[in-house]
Amino acid sequence: GAVVSQHPSRVICKSGTSVKIECRSLDFQATTMFWYRQFPKQSLMLMATSNEGSKATYEQGVEKDKFLINHASLTLSTLTVTSAHPEDSSFYICSARPTLRDTQYFGPGTRLTVL
Amino acid sequence: QKEVEQNSGPLSVPEGAIASLNCTYSDRGSQSFFWYRQYSGKSPELIMSIYSNGDKEDGRFTAQLNKASQYVSLLIRDSQPSDSATYLCASYNAGNNRKLIWGLGTSLAVNP
């Protein structure tokens, strides 16, 4: 149980394009999902908290207009990196928390490379 | 500033030994504590959660919590080379916007 999927697992795009990443909780409902970014050999960095049916809460320094988050259902959150640039190249990981629980389960991550 | 601190390591142990990973936290209101394992290039996976003072055992893993000392540890018995990874400690306080507070992780190397 507690499986989280992410799609795509890897994406390469040209600078200036937008990329959408999907995060799904497959066997539980998640009122809250989280989006993290991790650069090579660095620690996890929380980007935003995604709440079903409401606006996401962004961490300080994360541009909400650049990283669009939509959490339209209890099993799906999406992160769209708009007008991606090479500095946005990173490992993006989502996690989902089952409703009324405090444990987070992670998706396998999406490796984004912007050329 | 709520923090979770871990020794970055690397912690190196021989195969078959006990690996001891430690974590301290600053938020006395923290209610839950988690250990995640992250292999290089992969996402974190949950190993253990602990909520009450004392020990919690799951297979080769034992989590220990001491709320008075604000200290959480993870013991790995009979360490295997496949245990080589970064171990992340996290605390949770329901009043903290429902976020986990993460340590930076301890790198563990188990040598055959």
Side-chain angles (χ1 to χ4, degrees):
Chain A
V3 179
V4 178
S5 70
Q6 251 183 274
H7 179 79
S9 58
R10 186 179 297 270
V11 59
I12 300 173
C13 68
K14 292 182 179 180
S15 184
T17 59
S18 294
V19 175
K20 180 186 280 190
I21 303 170
E22 290 188 350
C23 177
R24 293 181 185 273
S25 55
L26 299 185
D27 52 2
F28 63 94
Q29 293 186 332
T31 307
T32 306
M33 293 184 174
F34 302 86
W35 287 96
Y36 294 84
R37 181 168 55 182
Q38 188 172 38
F39 294 104
K41 299 193 185 303
Q42 293 190 23
S43 60
L44 283 176
M45 187 185 77
L46 178 65
M47 299 175 66
T49 301
S50 168
N51 299 296
E52 187 266 337
S54 65
K55 291 183 179 180
T57 302
Y58 291 82
E59 295 299 302
Q60 192 171 9
V62 177
E63 300 175 58
K64 62 180 181 180
D65 295 329
K66 180 169 182 62
F67 299 100
L68 301 179
I69 292 172
N70 184 284
H71 192 157
S73 78
L74 287 172
T75 59
L76 173 64
S77 176
T78 60
L79 169 69
T80 301
V81 183
T82 62
S83 186
H85 291 285
E87 58 266 30
D88 297 323
S89 298
S90 188
F91 190 39
Y92 291 85
I93 315 171
C94 75
S95 70
R97 189 177 69 211
T99 303
L100 300 181
R101 290 188 58 189
D102 52 11
T103 307
Q104 289 185 26
Y105 298 95
F106 283 85
T110 297
R111 197 162 301 280
L112 171 64
T113 303
V114 184
L115 302 176
Chain B
Q1 181 79 359
K2 298 177 176 63
E3 294 182 342
V4 171
E5 295 190 359
Q6 296 181 254
N7 188 321
S8 62
L11 173 66
S12 183
V13 300
E15 184 174 355
I18 295 175
S20 177
L21 304 160
N22 304 315
C23 169
T24 59
Y25 60 95
S26 64
D27 181 6
R28 283 198 170 274
S30 298
Q31 298 133 349
S32 317
F33 305 87
F34 304 90
W35 283 99
Y36 287 82
R37 176 176 62 197
Q38 186 175 25
Y39 292 113
S40 180
K42 303 294 185 181
S43 66
E45 62 176 311
L46 179 68
I47 297 178
M48 296 277 287
S49 59
I50 188 165
Y51 302 88
S52 305
N53 280 328
D55 295 359
K56 179 182 178 181
E57 187 174 317
D58 184 1
R60 295 187 295 113
F61 299 99
T62 299
Q64 299 175 319
L65 173 61
N66 184 325
K67 289 187 177 180
S69 301
Q70 296 176 245
Y71 177 92
V72 191
S73 66
L74 179 70
L75 301 178
I76 307 174
R77 289 181 299 282
D78 188 23
S79 296
Q80 301 297 310
S82 58
D83 295 325
S84 299
T86 296
Y87 289 80
L88 301 167
C89 173
S91 69
Y92 176 78
N93 182 338
N96 186 30
N97 294 322
R98 297 170 290 175
K99 298 185 298 186
L100 289 179
I101 305 300
W102 293 92
L104 297 181
T106 298
S107 175
L108 172 66
V110 180
N111 305 309

